[in-house]
Protein backbone atom coordinates (compact mmCIF):
# COMPACT_ATOMS: atom_id res chain seq x y z
CA UNK A 1 0.00 0.00 0.00
CA UNK A 2 2.70 2.49 1.07
CA UNK A 3 5.04 1.34 -1.70
CA UNK A 4 2.39 1.57 -4.41
CA UNK A 5 1.24 5.01 -3.35
CA UNK A 6 4.80 6.34 -3.35
CA UNK A 7 5.50 4.77 -6.75
CA UNK A 8 2.27 6.22 -8.18
CA UNK A 9 3.28 9.68 -6.95
CA UNK A 10 7.01 9.73 -7.79
CA UNK A 11 7.65 6.88 -10.23
CA UNK A 12 9.30 3.53 -9.49
CA UNK A 13 12.79 4.91 -10.08
CA UNK A 14 12.44 7.36 -7.18
CA UNK A 15 11.31 4.83 -4.56
CA UNK A 16 13.65 2.34 -2.87
CA UNK A 17 12.18 -0.56 -0.91
CA UNK A 18 14.70 -3.40 -1.24
CA UNK A 19 16.39 -4.37 2.07
CA UNK A 20 19.86 -3.76 0.62
CA UNK A 21 18.82 -0.24 -0.46
CA UNK A 22 17.18 0.53 2.88
CA UNK A 23 20.24 -0.67 4.80
CA UNK A 24 22.33 2.07 3.18
CA UNK A 25 20.09 4.71 4.77
CA UNK A 26 20.16 3.23 8.28
CA UNK A 27 23.33 5.03 9.39
CA UNK A 28 25.14 8.33 9.11
CA UNK A 29 28.69 9.39 10.00
CA UNK A 30 27.86 8.86 13.70
CA UNK A 31 25.92 5.65 14.07
CA UNK A 32 23.55 2.95 12.93
CA UNK A 33 19.79 3.37 13.45
CA UNK A 34 17.02 1.19 12.08
CA UNK A 35 16.18 0.62 8.42
CA UNK A 36 13.48 2.92 7.02
CA UNK A 37 10.17 1.58 5.61
CA UNK A 38 11.02 3.31 2.32
CA UNK A 39 13.49 5.75 0.81
CA UNK A 40 12.32 8.32 -1.72
CA UNK A 41 14.35 10.55 -4.01
CA UNK A 42 12.07 13.47 -4.93
CA UNK A 43 12.94 15.71 -7.87
CA UNK A 44 10.80 18.71 -6.89
CA UNK A 45 8.98 20.48 -4.06
CA UNK A 46 5.72 18.99 -5.38
CA UNK A 47 7.21 15.51 -5.00
CA UNK A 48 8.15 16.29 -1.39
CA UNK A 49 4.60 17.55 -0.68
CA UNK A 50 3.13 14.39 -2.16
CA UNK A 51 5.40 12.17 -0.03
CA UNK A 52 4.55 14.05 3.17
CA UNK A 53 0.81 13.73 2.46
CA UNK A 54 1.15 9.98 1.84
CA UNK A 55 3.28 9.56 4.97
CA UNK A 56 0.65 11.39 7.01
CA UNK A 57 -2.16 9.20 5.72
CA UNK A 58 -0.11 6.03 6.32
CA UNK A 59 1.10 7.15 9.77
CA UNK A 60 4.76 7.00 8.75
CA UNK A 61 7.41 9.29 10.28
CA UNK A 62 9.66 11.27 7.95
CA UNK A 63 13.43 11.59 8.17
CA UNK A 64 15.01 14.16 5.79
CA UNK A 65 18.51 13.31 4.61
CA UNK A 66 21.25 15.27 2.88
CA UNK A 67 24.64 13.59 2.45
CA UNK A 68 24.54 11.66 5.75
CA UNK A 69 27.75 13.30 7.03
CA UNK A 70 25.99 14.28 10.27
CA UNK A 71 27.85 13.27 13.42
CA UNK A 72 24.94 12.86 15.84
CA UNK A 73 22.56 10.41 14.17
CA UNK A 74 20.23 13.18 12.91
CA UNK A 75 19.52 11.64 9.50
CA UNK A 76 19.08 8.11 10.83
CA UNK A 77 15.61 6.56 11.28
CA UNK A 78 15.04 5.30 14.81
CA UNK A 79 11.58 3.80 14.40
CA UNK A 80 11.39 3.21 10.66
CA UNK A 81 9.57 5.75 8.51
CA UNK A 82 10.23 7.32 5.13
CA UNK A 83 13.68 8.74 4.44
CA UNK A 84 13.53 11.67 2.01
CA UNK A 85 16.91 11.87 0.29
CA UNK A 86 17.69 15.14 -1.50
CA UNK A 87 20.30 13.62 -3.80
CA UNK A 88 18.24 14.56 -6.88
CA UNK A 89 17.28 18.06 -5.72
CA UNK A 90 20.82 19.29 -6.23
CA UNK A 91 20.55 22.32 -8.53
CA UNK A 92 21.50 25.94 -8.05
CA UNK A 93 18.22 27.52 -9.19
CA UNK A 94 19.40 31.10 -9.37
CA UNK A 95 22.63 32.98 -8.79
CA UNK A 96 22.00 36.70 -8.47
CA UNK A 97 25.53 38.15 -8.42
CA UNK A 98 24.30 41.76 -8.31
CA UNK A 99 22.27 41.11 -5.15
CA UNK A 100 24.87 38.66 -3.82
CA UNK A 101 22.49 35.81 -3.24
CA UNK A 102 21.66 32.39 -4.64
CA UNK A 103 18.61 30.15 -4.46
CA UNK A 104 19.59 26.53 -4.15
CA UNK A 105 17.89 23.19 -3.76
CA UNK A 106 18.67 21.36 -0.49
CA UNK A 107 20.82 18.67 -2.11
CA UNK A 108 23.40 21.15 -3.46
CA UNK A 109 26.80 20.33 -2.01
CA UNK A 110 28.20 23.19 0.09
CA UNK A 111 31.44 23.66 -1.88
CA UNK A 112 29.46 23.70 -5.16
CA UNK A 113 28.00 27.09 -4.20
CA UNK A 114 31.40 28.77 -3.80
CA UNK A 115 32.63 27.09 -6.98
CA UNK A 116 29.66 28.47 -8.93
CA UNK A 117 30.01 31.92 -7.33
CA UNK A 118 33.80 32.23 -7.84
CA UNK A 119 33.64 33.63 -11.42
CA UNK A 120 31.63 36.56 -10.00
CA UNK A 121 34.20 37.24 -7.26
CA UNK A 122 31.80 35.84 -4.64
CA UNK A 123 31.78 32.94 -2.19
CA UNK A 124 29.53 31.19 0.35
CA UNK A 125 31.12 31.66 3.78
CA UNK A 126 30.00 28.75 6.02
CA UNK A 127 32.55 26.05 5.27
CA UNK A 128 32.19 22.89 7.36
CA UNK A 129 35.19 20.60 6.95
CA UNK A 130 32.72 18.23 5.26
CA UNK A 131 32.00 20.87 2.61
CA UNK A 132 33.04 18.68 -0.33
CA UNK A 133 30.17 16.33 0.57
CA UNK A 134 27.64 17.86 2.96
CA UNK A 135 24.59 19.61 1.54
CA UNK A 136 23.00 23.00 2.05
CA UNK A 137 19.84 21.26 3.38
CA UNK A 138 21.88 19.42 6.02
CA UNK A 139 23.89 22.58 6.79
CA UNK A 140 20.70 24.61 7.27
CA UNK A 141 19.12 21.92 9.47
CA UNK A 142 22.19 21.70 11.72
CA UNK A 143 23.20 25.39 11.54
CA UNK A 144 26.60 24.16 10.38
CA UNK A 145 29.77 26.00 11.30
CA UNK A 146 33.28 25.71 9.94
CA UNK A 147 36.76 27.18 10.24
CA UNK A 148 35.74 30.51 8.70
CA UNK A 149 32.66 30.94 10.88
CA UNK A 150 34.88 32.63 13.49
CA UNK A 151 34.59 35.91 11.63
CA UNK A 152 31.75 35.26 9.16
CA UNK A 153 29.23 33.60 11.51
CA UNK A 154 27.50 30.22 11.16
CA UNK A 155 24.87 29.13 8.61
CA UNK A 156 22.08 31.06 10.35
CA UNK A 157 23.86 34.32 9.45
CA UNK A 158 23.84 33.39 5.75
CA UNK A 159 20.31 32.13 5.12
CA UNK A 160 18.01 34.82 3.75
CA UNK A 161 14.88 32.77 3.26
CA UNK A 162 13.54 29.26 2.96
CA UNK A 163 10.92 27.28 1.12
CA UNK A 164 9.58 24.61 3.44
CA UNK A 165 7.13 21.71 3.23
CA UNK A 166 5.19 21.44 6.49
CA UNK A 167 3.85 18.32 8.17
CA UNK A 168 0.57 18.58 6.18
CA UNK A 169 2.51 18.60 2.92
CA UNK A 170 1.76 22.29 2.35
CA UNK A 171 4.44 24.73 1.21
CA UNK A 172 5.34 27.93 3.05
CA UNK A 173 8.10 30.48 2.58
CA UNK A 174 10.14 32.53 5.03
CA UNK A 175 12.21 35.63 4.41
CA UNK A 176 14.40 37.78 6.60
CA UNK A 177 13.53 40.75 4.36
CA UNK A 178 9.94 40.87 5.62
CA UNK A 179 8.60 42.04 8.99
CA UNK A 180 7.13 39.71 11.61
CA UNK A 181 8.50 36.59 13.25
CA UNK A 182 11.91 35.50 12.00
CA UNK A 183 10.86 31.98 11.03
CA UNK A 184 14.02 31.57 8.96
CA UNK A 185 16.13 31.64 12.11
CA UNK A 186 13.68 29.33 13.90
CA UNK A 187 14.04 26.74 11.14
CA UNK A 188 17.82 26.94 10.85
CA UNK A 189 19.23 24.43 13.32
CA UNK A 190 15.86 22.71 13.85
CA UNK A 191 17.30 19.42 12.54
CA UNK A 192 14.32 18.54 10.36
CA UNK A 193 11.84 18.66 13.26
CA UNK A 194 9.86 21.74 12.15
CA UNK A 195 9.65 21.31 8.39
CA UNK A 196 11.43 20.02 5.32
CA UNK A 197 13.58 22.56 3.50
CA UNK A 198 13.02 22.36 -0.26
CA UNK A 199 15.01 25.44 -1.26
CA UNK A 200 17.06 28.16 0.41
CA UNK A 201 18.06 31.72 -0.46
CA UNK A 202 21.60 32.08 0.76
CA UNK A 203 23.92 35.06 1.09
CA UNK A 204 27.04 35.28 -1.07
CA UNK A 205 29.98 37.37 0.06
CA UNK A 206 32.54 39.36 -1.90
CA UNK A 207 35.87 37.57 -2.03
CA UNK A 208 38.43 39.55 0.00
CA UNK A 209 41.18 41.50 -1.75
CA UNK A 210 43.93 39.70 0.17
CA UNK A 211 44.18 36.46 2.13
CA UNK A 212 47.18 35.44 4.23
CA UNK A 213 47.76 32.12 5.97
CA UNK A 214 50.33 31.57 8.71
CA UNK A 215 51.44 28.56 10.69
CA UNK A 216 52.76 28.83 14.25
CA UNK A 217 54.10 25.96 16.35
CA UNK A 218 53.93 25.77 20.13
CA UNK A 219 55.39 23.45 22.77
CA UNK A 220 51.88 22.39 23.88
CA UNK A 221 48.16 22.97 23.30
CA UNK A 222 47.87 25.06 26.47
CA UNK A 223 50.29 27.75 25.26
CA UNK A 224 48.68 27.74 21.81
CA UNK A 225 45.24 28.19 23.43
CA UNK A 226 46.51 31.12 25.47
CA UNK A 227 47.77 32.72 22.27
CA UNK A 228 44.33 32.26 20.67
CA UNK A 229 42.60 34.02 23.59
CA UNK A 230 45.11 36.87 23.49
CA UNK A 231 44.78 37.43 19.73
CA UNK A 232 41.01 37.89 20.08
CA UNK A 233 41.41 39.92 23.30
CA UNK A 234 43.68 42.29 21.32
CA UNK A 235 40.69 43.08 19.11
CA UNK A 236 41.86 41.04 16.12
CA UNK A 237 39.36 38.54 14.72
CA UNK A 238 41.22 36.51 12.11
CA UNK A 239 39.07 34.76 9.51
CA UNK A 240 40.17 31.42 10.98
CA UNK A 241 42.13 30.18 14.02
CA UNK A 242 42.46 26.41 13.85
CA UNK A 243 44.52 24.18 16.12
CA UNK A 244 45.94 20.67 15.91
CA UNK A 245 47.78 18.74 18.58
CA UNK A 246 50.89 16.67 17.88
CA UNK A 247 49.03 13.39 17.23
CA UNK A 248 46.77 15.05 14.68
CA UNK A 249 49.51 17.08 12.97
CA UNK A 250 51.57 13.92 12.42
CA UNK A 251 48.60 12.03 10.92
CA UNK A 252 47.71 14.98 8.67
CA UNK A 253 51.28 15.43 7.46
CA UNK A 254 51.63 11.72 6.70
CA UNK A 255 48.41 11.85 4.64
CA UNK A 256 48.72 15.21 2.88
CA UNK A 257 52.41 16.28 2.94
CA UNK A 258 51.11 19.83 3.35
CA UNK A 259 54.04 21.14 5.37
CA UNK A 260 52.66 20.61 8.89
CA UNK A 261 55.50 20.29 11.44
CA UNK A 262 55.56 16.87 13.09
CA UNK A 263 57.73 17.73 16.07
CA UNK A 264 55.63 20.45 17.75
CA UNK A 265 53.27 20.03 20.71
CA UNK A 266 50.62 22.09 18.90
CA UNK A 267 50.16 23.77 15.54
CA UNK A 268 48.07 26.89 15.01
CA UNK A 269 46.75 27.70 11.55
CA UNK A 270 45.85 31.38 11.29
CA UNK A 271 44.11 32.99 8.32
CA UNK A 272 43.30 36.64 7.89
CA UNK A 273 41.55 38.33 5.00
CA UNK A 274 40.97 41.97 4.11
CA UNK A 275 42.83 44.75 2.33
CA UNK A 276 46.36 44.05 1.09
CA UNK A 277 47.69 47.25 2.70
CA UNK A 278 46.63 46.05 6.19
CA UNK A 279 48.10 42.57 6.00
CA UNK A 280 51.70 43.22 7.07
CA UNK A 281 50.54 45.03 10.20
CA UNK A 282 48.16 42.18 11.08
CA UNK A 283 50.94 39.64 10.57
CA UNK A 284 53.36 41.57 12.81
CA UNK A 285 50.81 41.86 15.61
CA UNK A 286 49.56 38.24 15.49
CA UNK A 287 53.15 36.93 15.29
CA UNK A 288 54.13 39.11 18.26
CA UNK A 289 51.26 37.74 20.37
CA UNK A 290 51.99 34.14 19.32
CA UNK A 291 55.66 34.47 20.27
CA UNK A 292 54.75 36.16 23.54
CA UNK A 293 52.87 32.93 24.36
CA UNK A 294 55.76 30.66 23.47
CA UNK A 295 55.43 30.09 19.71
CA UNK A 296 58.65 28.40 18.64
CA UNK A 297 58.23 28.95 14.89
CA UNK A 298 56.20 31.26 12.64
CA UNK A 299 55.81 30.66 8.93
CA UNK A 300 53.82 32.42 6.21
CA UNK A 301 52.36 30.50 3.28
CA UNK A 302 54.02 32.14 0.28
CA UNK A 303 51.65 31.13 -2.50
CA UNK A 304 48.07 30.16 -3.20
CA UNK A 305 49.28 26.57 -3.67
CA UNK A 306 50.86 26.56 -0.19
CA UNK A 307 47.71 28.05 1.35
CA UNK A 308 45.54 25.47 -0.40
CA UNK A 309 47.81 22.63 0.77
CA UNK A 310 47.60 23.77 4.41
CA UNK A 311 43.81 24.03 4.21
CA UNK A 312 43.51 20.66 2.46
CA UNK A 313 45.41 19.16 5.39
CA UNK A 314 43.18 20.85 7.96
CA UNK A 315 39.93 19.99 6.22
CA UNK A 316 41.03 16.43 5.52
CA UNK A 317 42.10 15.83 9.15
CA UNK A 318 39.26 13.42 9.91
CA UNK A 319 40.19 11.30 6.89
CA UNK A 320 43.82 11.19 8.01
CA UNK A 321 42.72 9.45 11.22
CA UNK A 322 42.53 6.18 9.27
CA UNK A 323 46.34 6.15 9.47
CA UNK A 324 46.36 5.78 13.24
CA UNK A 325 43.17 3.97 14.14
CA UNK A 326 40.53 1.69 12.56
CA UNK A 327 37.75 3.81 14.14
CA UNK A 328 37.39 7.15 15.85
CA UNK A 329 34.65 8.88 17.79
CA UNK A 330 34.50 12.63 17.24
CA UNK A 331 33.20 14.58 20.23
CA UNK A 332 31.90 18.15 19.68
CA UNK A 333 31.72 20.47 22.68
CA UNK A 334 32.18 24.19 23.13
CA UNK A 335 33.76 26.15 25.97
CA UNK A 336 34.73 29.75 26.56
CA UNK A 337 38.04 30.52 24.82
CA UNK A 338 39.62 31.43 28.14
CA UNK A 339 38.90 27.92 29.49
CA UNK A 340 40.35 26.10 26.47
CA UNK A 341 43.63 25.17 28.24
CA UNK A 342 41.69 23.64 31.16
CA UNK A 343 39.35 21.77 28.81
CA UNK A 344 42.22 20.38 26.72
CA UNK A 345 44.09 19.33 29.83
CA UNK A 346 40.97 17.50 31.06
CA UNK A 347 40.54 15.75 27.68
CA UNK A 348 44.12 14.53 27.93
CA UNK A 349 43.52 13.23 31.46
CA UNK A 350 40.32 11.46 30.42
CA UNK A 351 42.03 9.76 27.47
CA UNK A 352 44.86 8.66 29.78
CA UNK A 353 42.41 7.29 32.34
CA UNK A 354 40.60 5.23 29.68
CA UNK A 355 43.86 4.25 27.94
CA UNK A 356 42.75 5.76 24.62
CA UNK A 357 44.74 7.75 22.08
CA UNK A 358 43.16 11.16 21.49
CA UNK A 359 43.83 13.49 18.56
CA UNK A 360 42.65 17.09 18.73
CA UNK A 361 41.81 19.28 15.76
CA UNK A 362 39.46 22.14 16.36
CA UNK A 363 38.08 25.61 15.78
CA UNK A 364 40.18 27.17 18.57
CA UNK A 365 38.96 30.71 17.91
CA UNK A 366 35.39 29.62 18.72
CA UNK A 367 36.36 27.47 21.73
CA UNK A 368 34.87 24.55 19.79
CA UNK A 369 36.71 21.34 20.72
CA UNK A 370 36.72 18.20 18.56
CA UNK A 371 38.63 15.50 20.42
CA UNK A 372 38.84 12.37 18.26
CA UNK A 373 39.01 9.26 20.42
CA UNK A 374 40.72 6.36 18.65
CA UNK A 375 39.36 2.85 19.09
CA UNK A 376 38.66 -0.45 17.42
CA UNK A 377 34.96 -1.13 16.92
CA UNK A 378 35.55 -4.88 17.12
CA UNK A 379 36.87 -4.55 20.68
CA UNK A 380 33.90 -4.20 23.10
CA UNK A 381 36.13 -2.93 25.91
CA UNK A 382 37.41 -0.08 23.72
CA UNK A 383 33.86 0.73 22.59
CA UNK A 384 32.79 1.00 26.23
CA UNK A 385 35.85 3.14 27.04
CA UNK A 386 35.00 5.50 24.17
CA UNK A 387 31.38 5.87 25.27
CA UNK A 388 32.42 6.63 28.84
CA UNK A 389 35.23 8.99 27.92
CA UNK A 390 32.97 10.81 25.42
CA UNK A 391 30.48 11.37 28.26
CA UNK A 392 33.26 12.51 30.57
CA UNK A 393 34.34 15.13 28.00
CA UNK A 394 30.74 16.31 27.76
CA UNK A 395 30.55 16.64 31.54
CA UNK A 396 33.84 18.54 31.56
CA UNK A 397 32.53 21.07 29.04
CA UNK A 398 29.35 21.58 31.07
CA UNK A 399 31.34 21.96 34.30
CA UNK A 400 33.45 24.66 32.62
CA UNK A 401 30.29 26.58 31.71
CA UNK A 402 30.37 25.37 28.10
CA UNK A 403 27.81 23.48 26.07
CA UNK A 404 27.14 20.04 24.59
CA UNK A 405 27.55 20.87 20.90
CA UNK A 406 29.49 23.55 19.07
CA UNK A 407 28.19 22.82 15.58
CA UNK A 408 27.36 19.18 14.87
CA UNK A 409 23.93 19.38 16.49
CA UNK A 410 22.01 17.18 18.92
CA UNK A 411 20.30 14.57 16.74
CA UNK A 412 19.78 11.22 18.42
CA UNK A 413 23.14 11.09 20.15
CA UNK A 414 22.93 14.05 22.50
CA UNK A 415 19.21 14.49 23.06
CA UNK A 416 19.35 13.43 26.69
CA UNK A 417 22.22 15.89 27.20
CA UNK A 418 19.72 18.71 26.50
CA UNK A 419 18.48 18.40 30.09
CA UNK A 420 21.99 19.28 31.26
CA UNK A 421 22.05 22.68 29.55
CA UNK A 422 18.37 23.68 29.48
CA UNK A 423 15.83 23.93 32.28
CA UNK A 424 12.53 22.06 32.05
CA UNK A 425 10.81 25.34 31.22
CA UNK A 426 13.30 26.10 28.44
CA UNK A 427 12.69 22.67 26.90
CA UNK A 428 8.94 22.85 27.35
CA UNK A 429 8.93 26.17 25.45
CA UNK A 430 10.89 24.60 22.60
CA UNK A 431 8.47 21.65 22.64
CA UNK A 432 5.52 24.04 22.31
CA UNK A 433 7.15 25.59 19.24
CA UNK A 434 7.55 22.12 17.79
CA UNK A 435 3.91 21.35 18.52
CA UNK A 436 2.84 24.35 16.44
CA UNK A 437 4.75 23.04 13.42
CA UNK A 438 4.38 19.30 13.99
CA UNK A 439 1.84 18.32 16.68
CA UNK A 440 1.98 14.64 15.73
CA UNK A 441 5.78 14.59 15.99
CA UNK A 442 6.23 12.81 12.72
CA UNK A 443 9.02 15.03 11.37
CA UNK A 444 12.32 13.47 12.40
CA UNK A 445 11.00 11.97 15.65
CA UNK A 446 13.34 10.85 18.45
CA UNK A 447 15.75 13.70 17.66
CA UNK A 448 16.77 16.87 19.47
CA UNK A 449 14.36 16.48 22.43
CA UNK A 450 15.24 14.36 25.47
CA UNK A 451 13.38 11.12 26.00
CA UNK A 452 10.13 11.75 27.90
CA UNK A 453 11.32 9.76 30.91
CA UNK A 454 13.75 12.50 31.76
CA UNK A 455 11.54 15.44 31.01
CA UNK A 456 7.82 14.74 31.26
CA UNK A 457 6.93 18.30 30.28
CA UNK A 458 8.29 17.90 26.77
CA UNK A 459 6.08 14.94 25.87
CA UNK A 460 3.71 15.66 22.96
CA UNK A 461 0.48 17.47 23.82
CA UNK A 462 -2.31 15.06 22.82
C1 LIG B 1 34.74 14.69 8.27
C2 LIG B 1 33.61 15.55 8.77
C3 LIG B 1 33.86 16.88 9.06
C4 LIG B 1 32.83 17.69 9.54
N1 LIG B 1 33.08 19.01 9.78
C5 LIG B 1 32.08 19.82 10.21
C6 LIG B 1 32.33 21.21 10.46
O1 LIG B 1 33.43 21.73 10.30
N2 LIG B 1 31.27 21.95 10.88
C7 LIG B 1 30.02 21.42 11.06
O2 LIG B 1 29.09 22.15 11.42
N3 LIG B 1 29.78 20.12 10.83
C8 LIG B 1 30.76 19.31 10.41
N4 LIG B 1 30.51 17.98 10.18
C9 LIG B 1 29.16 17.43 10.45
C10 LIG B 1 28.22 17.45 9.20
O3 LIG B 1 28.96 17.45 8.00
C11 LIG B 1 27.27 18.64 9.25
O4 LIG B 1 26.37 18.47 10.35
C12 LIG B 1 26.46 18.86 7.96
O5 LIG B 1 25.74 20.06 8.09
C13 LIG B 1 25.51 17.71 7.64
O6 LIG B 1 25.10 17.85 6.29
P1 LIG B 1 24.52 16.60 5.47
O7 LIG B 1 24.11 17.07 4.14
O8 LIG B 1 25.47 15.48 5.50
O9 LIG B 1 23.22 16.27 6.34
P2 LIG B 1 22.72 14.90 6.98
O10 LIG B 1 23.76 14.29 7.83
O11 LIG B 1 22.14 14.05 5.92
O12 LIG B 1 21.55 15.46 7.89
C14 LIG B 1 21.82 16.27 9.00
C15 LIG B 1 20.50 16.75 9.63
O13 LIG B 1 19.83 17.60 8.72
C16 LIG B 1 18.50 17.14 8.47
N5 LIG B 1 18.20 17.52 7.08
C17 LIG B 1 18.92 17.21 5.97
N6 LIG B 1 18.37 17.78 4.88
C18 LIG B 1 17.26 18.44 5.31
C19 LIG B 1 16.26 19.21 4.66
N7 LIG B 1 16.28 19.42 3.34
N8 LIG B 1 15.26 19.73 5.42
C20 LIG B 1 15.23 19.54 6.77
N9 LIG B 1 16.15 18.81 7.42
C21 LIG B 1 17.16 18.28 6.70
C22 LIG B 1 18.58 15.65 8.75
O14 LIG B 1 17.31 15.11 9.07
C23 LIG B 1 19.53 15.63 9.93
O15 LIG B 1 18.84 15.92 11.11
C24 LIG B 1 31.53 17.14 9.73
C25 LIG B 1 31.29 15.79 9.43
C26 LIG B 1 32.32 15.00 8.96
C27 LIG B 1 32.03 13.57 8.64
Amino acid sequence: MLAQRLIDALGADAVKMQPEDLAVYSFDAYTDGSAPSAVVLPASTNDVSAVVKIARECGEPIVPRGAGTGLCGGAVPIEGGIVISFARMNRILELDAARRRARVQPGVVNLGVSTAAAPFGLFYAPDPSSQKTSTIGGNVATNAGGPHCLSYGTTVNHVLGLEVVDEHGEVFKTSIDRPGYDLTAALVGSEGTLGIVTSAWIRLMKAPEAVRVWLATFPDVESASDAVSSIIAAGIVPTALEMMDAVMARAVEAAFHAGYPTDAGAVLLVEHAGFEDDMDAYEREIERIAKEHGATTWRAARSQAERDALWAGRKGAAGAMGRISPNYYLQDVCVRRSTLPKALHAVEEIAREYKLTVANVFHAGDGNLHPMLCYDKSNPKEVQAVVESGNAILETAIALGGTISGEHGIGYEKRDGMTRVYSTNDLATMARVRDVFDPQRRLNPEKLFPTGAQCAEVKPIV
Side-chain angles (χ1 to χ4, degrees):
M1 152 89 167
L2 175 69
Q4 198 50 54
R5 292 197 61 187
L6 291 171
I7 290 169
D8 288 348
L10 267 65
D13 179 50
V15 180
K16 307 285 172 203
M17 301 286 287
Q18 295 302 319
E20 60 272 27
D21 290 327
L22 301 183
V24 177
Y25 294 87
S26 66
F27 60 90
D28 64 4
Y30 163 68
T31 192
D32 305 348
S34 70
S37 319
V39 175
V40 294
L41 294 119
S44 66
T45 302
N46 282 346
D47 283 355
V48 176
S49 290
V51 171
V52 173
K53 285 176 183 166
I54 293 167
R56 192 178 159 82
E57 283 158 22
C58 297
E60 288 281 346
I62 285 188
V63 181
R65 184 178 179 99
T69 67
L71 287 162
C72 55
V76 166
I78 303 301
E79 293 176 351
I82 301 173
V83 166
I84 302 185
S85 161
F86 288 98
R88 290 183 185 172
M89 289 178 68
N90 60 355
R91 283 185 306 124
I92 296 177
L93 300 169
E94 205 176 327
L95 200 158
D96 186 341
R99 294 173 72 213
R100 294 191 195 165
R101 50 180 65 192
R103 188 160 78 92
V104 302
Q105 290 185 314
V108 167
V109 170
N110 173 300
L111 190 59
V113 180
S114 286
T115 306
F120 304 97
L122 302 172
F123 72 108
Y124 178 60
D127 63 335
S129 301
S130 57
Q131 71 179 148
K132 283 186 190 165
T133 315
S134 67
T135 64
I136 296 297
N139 293 173
V140 168
T142 56
N143 186 21
H148 290 87
C149 293
L150 172 62
S151 68
Y152 296 127
T154 57
T155 301
V156 70
N157 302 111
H158 300 270
V159 179
L160 304 171
L162 295 169
E163 180 188 80
V164 179
V165 170
D166 71 11
E167 59 107 20
H168 292 278
E170 304 301 331
V171 181
F172 70 92
K173 289 184 179 154
T174 73
S175 166
I176 64 160
D177 294 331
R178 300 198 194 117
Y181 293 148
D182 186 352
L183 294 181
T184 310
L187 279 143
V188 176
S190 64
E191 300 192 20
T193 61
L194 300 185
I196 302 162
V197 174
T198 47
S199 77
W201 277 105
I202 52 178
R203 187 194 306 280
L204 300 175
M205 296 187 66
K206 192 172 178 321
E209 182 185 295
V211 179
R212 298 265 182 100
V213 172
W214 305 288
L215 205 66
T217 57
F218 290 83
D220 46 52
V221 284
E222 285 85 358
S223 52
S225 305
D226 284 336
V228 166
S229 285
S230 296
I231 292 166
I232 307 267
I236 303 169
V237 184
T239 39
L241 264 176
E242 298 284 305
M243 201 193 298
M244 280 182 206
D245 67 9
V247 178
M248 195 73 250
R250 281 198 285 272
V252 165
E253 190 52 23
F256 292 95
H257 312 294
Y260 280 96
T262 53
D263 55 355
V267 178
L268 193 61
L269 182 69
V270 187
E271 183 192 280
H272 200 53
F275 295 110
E276 184 60 49
D277 288 350
D278 297 336
M279 286 297 146
D280 287 342
Y282 273 118
E283 175 169 5
R284 277 195 300 277
E285 186 58 5
I286 300 172
E287 181 180 0
R288 185 191 64 73
I289 296 171
K291 289 195 167 153
E292 209 172 85
H293 288 278
T296 43
T297 65
W298 175 267
R299 176 160 75 82
R302 284 176 302 272
S303 63
Q304 179 70 41
E306 246 184 86
R307 283 205 299 271
D308 290 349
L310 288 172
W311 273 117
R314 164 60 190 91
K315 293 202 172 176
M321 288 296 288
R323 295 187 165 257
I324 48 177
S325 171
N327 302 97
Y328 68 85
Y329 165 72
L330 202 169
Q331 182 54 285
D332 163 45
V333 293
C334 209
V335 298
R336 283 194 300 275
R337 261 187 308 270
S338 57
T339 61
L340 264 180
K342 267 192 195 156
L344 286 161
H345 183 69
V347 168
E348 211 176 289
E349 292 283 297
I350 291 166
R352 192 171 305 127
E353 187 188 331
Y354 286 93
K355 299 186 175 54
L356 295 169
T357 300
V358 63
N360 283 289
V361 55
F362 58 102
H363 312 311
D366 296 323
N368 187 183
L369 295 181
H370 287 331
M372 295 195 197
L373 299 161
C374 303
Y375 72 109
D376 182 346
K377 212 176 177 176
S378 64
N379 179 339
K381 274 193 185 148
E382 286 192 14
V383 173
Q384 186 59 23
V386 162
V387 171
E388 287 175 20
S389 50
N391 288 339
I393 294 171
L394 211 66
E395 291 301 330
T396 301
I398 295 168
L400 288 171
T403 193
I404 58 173
S405 170
E407 57 183 14
H408 296 167
I410 301 302
Y412 181 65
E413 181 200 8
K414 290 186 173 170
R415 59 190 191 142
D416 287 338
M418 291 286 272
T419 57
R420 303 296 319 277
V421 286
Y422 288 108
S423 73
T424 303
N425 278 347
D426 298 340
L427 286 169
T429 304
M430 280 192 227
R432 282 199 290 276
V433 173
R434 183 180 196 173
D435 285 335
V436 170
F437 284 89
D438 180 24
Q440 306 292 322
R441 306 236 167 138
R442 286 184 319 104
L443 298 179
N444 217 3
E446 311 298 331
K447 312 288 166 63
L448 198 60
F449 286 90
T451 41
Q454 294 196 20
C455 185
E457 288 78 0
V458 300
K459 278 184 180 163
I461 298 163
V462 282

